[in-house]
Amino acid sequence: MLDTGDTAPAFELQDQHGEAVSLEEFEGLVVVYFYPRADTPGCTTEACRFRDRWEEFEQRGIDVVGISDDPIDDLADFAGEYNLPIMLLSDEDGTVASAYDSYGEKSMFGNTFDGVFRNTYVVEDGEIVAVYEGVDPKGHADEILANLA
């Protein structure tokens, strides 16, 4: 895992609208959260909680970016279905998630596969200022807001 004080790995990915987004575009605090799959129960819970607390993130000048290995079309459908204001980025080959120690071998129902781990990094001016590993999707947005108070 990367740790506080580490330089956040740079990235440029496409968002749910097909627009290129890079880490260096963000000023101030940005929450970079990795999630396994759009429109699955845990990921929907996590994204909707960020949505429900969105006004508080905005008021505090905190950007939120979700990254998964879903294709852009899936991200667009996910954002539209749940009215998500969050920027969702497509990392189909897992390169960015790997750079953030958030991609690797997983197993489910006896099958082994590569996928995204549910980790979050808070970045400020290119430096990691907080790390959350294996987060609980239900209370994660609340936890971040409380910790950044």
Side-chain angles (χ1 to χ4, degrees), residues 131-142:
V131 176
Y132 301 85
E133 185 176 9
V135 303
D136 175 2
K138 188 169 27 173
H140 189 47
D142 304 323

Side-chain angles (χ1 to χ4, degrees), residues 114-146:
D114 287 338
V116 178
F117 305 134
R118 194 181 304 280
N119 297 327
T120 298
Y121 296 88
V122 180
V123 178
E124 184 171 28
D125 300 324
E127 182 180 314
I128 296 171
V129 297
V131 176
Y132 301 85
E133 185 176 9
V135 303
D136 175 2
K138 188 169 27 173
H140 189 47
D142 304 323
E143 177 183 27
I144 291 172
L145 285 169

